Amino acid sequence: MAISYPKLFAAIAPICGGGSPYMVHRILKLPVWVFHGAKDTIVPLYESQRMVEALRAQGSNAKITVYPDAAHDVWTQTYETPELYEWLLSHRRR
């Protein structure tokens, strides 16, 4: 959604995501913090990693948190992370 509508967001935190690396130029100005489970069999970790790598290759400081023992349900652990909310609220749309 952020790639389609980048001006709607101040920052994004994809969870178990993926996408088209050739489209990351559309979100280069957005702060990105990705979350993924290393044991995810529904959306392989590689999908998030390649998006982060594509962003970084174009100058983004996107970060990724990988939960080593988690599968696809990492939203529970992610949403229990107070730093995520502090990070999201620290950004404003320009």
Side-chain angles (χ1 to χ4, degrees), residues 46-82:
Y46 174 76
E47 294 293 327
S48 284
Q49 289 172 324
R50 71 185 189 134
M51 293 297 285
V52 170
E53 289 169 9
L55 282 162
R56 289 177 178 168
Q58 294 191 40
S60 171
N61 64 347
K63 59 184 186 172
I64 183 168
T65 296
V66 177
Y67 300 108
D69 296 321
H72 190 62
D73 173 14
V74 297
W75 50 87
T76 301
Q77 193 170 353
T78 300
Y79 294 151
E80 291 175 349
T81 304

Side-chain angles (χ1 to χ4, degrees), residues 2-36:
I3 285 177
S4 295
Y5 305 99
K7 293 182 181 181
L8 290 178
F9 303 95
I12 59 172
I15 298 174
C16 301
S20 303
Y22 66 90
M23 297 293 291
V24 298
H25 67 278
R26 297 182 51 88
I27 58 171
L28 284 178
K29 293 181 181 179
L30 287 177
V32 178
W33 187 359
V34 175
F35 298 86
H36 212 112

